[in-house]
Amino acid sequence: MLEKYRGKGIRGAFLIFGMSDETFSINCAANIPEDVDKGWFMFFVTILNYSYWVSGSILGGLFGELIEFNTRGLEFAMTSMFILIFLEKRLKEKRHNSSLLGLGVSLLCLVIFGSSNFIIPSMILILLILTFKREFFMKAGETK
Amino acid sequence: MTMTVGQHIVTIAMVVAGTVITRFLPFILFPADKPTPKYIQFLGKALPPASLGLLVVYSLKDVNIFAGSHGIPELIAVITVLAVHLWRRQMLLSILVGTVTYMVLVQLVF
């Protein structure tokens, strides 16, 4: 993201400030067409996600109690989105070693540390493995 | 736990500071006019696919395969999402079908 957000001026500051999990996922996997300005594309992804997030939170806070229909399972929309972005990235990348590393290490840490404590150990372990096996992951992230 | 207004303000300020620092720090440490170290560039390329893998696991972290519905609705919905996406490659369609499938499963079937 350092390279992508480089030289975007004032917009860059907003891109950095407004980055959420969802925005990161979209901006790092999106196939931006040649004739579309990358800076503006990422700017709109960021500001739209940000505004949905803020307005969604406000609406939820104000009217959450009034919703009658059963929303159980609605949170799967987020799961679907992460799975799809992961899939899209996989379909586009040349080598899958980093994707698989992320899945594998996180699963392992989830089993060891449990669902509320596994994120930080996963991140550290991923970072350590990438660092010490740098040769093996050299081509990770390259697109076809 | 009830908090005073002062505690509210401090809490929100800490959260804001945490958010802003973690986002801007990398861009301050590696400014545009200096070449970013090779190692950091490597991480910039190699880390995102792994992070997305972590996010996938994170979004399914509360599934318990040993109790309740044993993760079967999640499994079915994940397969549905993947299948619909590989068939049509339409993000919104895949999310919609997957979410509706999951909601029907957890509300009516399991």
Side-chain angles (χ1 to χ4, degrees), chain A residues 16-17 19, chain B residues 14-24:
Chain A
I16 298 166
F17 168 74
M19 197 191 320
Chain B
M14 295 303 281
V15 173
V16 169
T19 311
V20 171
I21 289 169
T22 49
R23 294 208 179 167
F24 282 98

Side-chain angles (χ1 to χ4, degrees), chain A residues 14-49:
Chain A
F14 180 73
L15 289 179
I16 298 166
F17 168 74
M19 197 191 320
S20 57
D21 294 6
E22 292 78 5
T23 301
F24 164 76
S25 311
I26 295 172
N27 280 344
C28 95
N31 243 345
I32 306 173
E34 290 289 328
D35 52 343
V36 174
D37 183 271
K38 287 196 167 62
W40 282 116
F41 179 93
M42 295 192 294
F43 175 78
F44 279 115
V45 168
T46 307
I47 198 168
L48 286 172
N49 268 343

Side-chain angles (χ1 to χ4, degrees), chain B:
Chain B
M1 187 182 74
T2 45
M3 295 196 292
T4 64
V5 176
Q7 286 171 324
H8 276 285
I9 293 171
V10 171
T11 308
I12 293 172
M14 295 303 281
V15 173
V16 169
T19 311
V20 171
I21 289 169
T22 49
R23 294 208 179 167
F24 282 98
L25 197 61
F27 294 89
I28 295 166
L29 284 178
F30 308 111
D33 51 348
K34 290 195 197 111
T36 308
K38 277 269 172 322
Y39 172 64
I40 302 297
Q41 285 186 22
F42 160 72
L43 285 184
K45 279 200 156 180
L47 213 44
S51 313
L52 292 172
L54 173 62
L55 282 172
V56 169
V57 175
Y58 169 74
S59 66
L60 288 165
K61 72 185 161 71
D62 292 317
V63 177
N64 189 342
I65 54 169
F66 303 111
S69 53
H70 302 280
I72 297 165
E74 285 80 7
L75 185 68
I76 296 172
V78 168
I79 293 171
T80 309
V81 168
L82 292 176
V84 171
H85 196 68
L86 290 172
W87 174 42
R88 278 281 137 108
R89 206 99 187 252
Q90 285 285 330
M91 207 75 155
L92 283 177
L93 179 77
S94 314
I95 293 178
L96 194 72
V97 174
T99 309
V100 171
T101 306
Y102 183 71
M103 289 177 78
V104 169
L105 286 174
V106 290
Q107 288 183 19
L108 304 175
V109 184
F110 287 90

Side-chain angles (χ1 to χ4, degrees), chain A residues 10-117:
Chain A
I10 305 258
R11 269 179 304 161
F14 180 73
L15 289 179
I16 298 166
F17 168 74
M19 197 191 320
S20 57
D21 294 6
E22 292 78 5
T23 301
F24 164 76
S25 311
I26 295 172
N27 280 344
C28 95
N31 243 345
I32 306 173
E34 290 289 328
D35 52 343
V36 174
D37 183 271
K38 287 196 167 62
W40 282 116
F41 179 93
M42 295 192 294
F43 175 78
F44 279 115
V45 168
T46 307
I47 198 168
L48 286 172
N49 268 343
Y50 195 75
S51 66
Y52 299 153
W53 178 49
V54 172
S55 55
S57 304
I58 293 172
L59 287 175
L62 290 177
F63 305 114
E65 291 172 4
L66 302 177
I67 294 179
E68 292 289 332
F69 79 100
N70 192 347
T71 54
R72 203 167 142 235
L74 193 62
E75 73 282 357
F76 198 77
M78 189 190 75
T79 309
S80 313
M81 197 193 82
F82 285 138
I83 287 171
L84 290 173
I85 291 169
F86 179 76
L87 174 69
E88 277 291 327
K89 188 99 184 157
R90 269 200 66 120
L91 291 172
K92 274 184 231 150
E93 69 193 1
K94 277 189 211 147
R95 301 187 61 179
H96 302 313
N97 46 15
S98 177
S99 323
L100 294 176
L101 175 79
L103 271 189
V105 167
S106 312
L107 266 177
L108 185 74
C109 288
L110 177 62
V111 173
I112 298 173
F113 299 100
S115 67
S116 44
N117 292 318

